[in-house]
Amino acid sequence: MVAHLASLAGLIIPLGNIVGPLVVWLIKKDTMPFVDDQGKEALNFNITVFIAALVSGVLTLVLIGILMLLVVGLGWLILTIIAALKANEGTAYRYPFTLRLIK
């Protein structure tokens, strides 16, 4: 749960949405298999969101990016909260539309 919620650091710290889950995953990956799995999932999702936000930022030049930034931001927040709740229940959560870059 902490790995998912650590991504909310991105609301305060630039790139905190990637650094937060990365720190949790690196600290606990060897001792807790569930944290290893969910930490990688949270990290992959936040990297995917970062890429989508960059693309949306570029597309603001043609105005559609503004809407895309809103959708990406709202989706990020909602899916992060859902993932944290599922992880709190002990259920492995898989984010939709996520690039699995870290395996």
Side-chain angles (χ1 to χ4, degrees):
M1 180 177 86
V2 173
H4 295 291
L5 291 178
S7 66
L8 296 177
L11 295 172
I12 300 169
I13 303 166
L15 295 178
N17 63 322
I18 294 174
V19 174
L22 177 64
V23 168
V24 172
W25 177 62
L26 288 174
I27 290 172
K28 293 293 185 179
K29 71 178 179 174
D30 296 326
T31 59
M32 302 176 79
F34 186 69
V35 176
D36 179 38
D37 176 57
Q38 291 300 291
K40 284 188 281 191
E41 187 67 20
L43 189 55
N44 282 327
F45 175 68
N46 283 289
I47 291 170
T48 303
V49 167
F50 179 72
I51 293 168
L54 283 177
V55 170
S56 299
V58 170
L59 289 175
T60 56
L61 297 172
V62 290
L63 298 178
I64 188 130
I66 296 169
L67 178 62
M68 287 177 59
L69 278 172
L70 291 172
V71 169
V72 168
L74 189 60
W76 168 75
L77 184 61
I78 291 169
L79 289 174
T80 298
I81 292 170
I82 290 170
L85 293 173
K86 291 291 186 182
N88 190 41
E89 295 170 359
T91 306
Y93 183 76
R94 296 287 172 246
Y95 289 98
F97 314 113
T98 299
L99 302 171
R100 305 285 190 266
L101 302 172
I102 299 171
K103 299 187 189 238

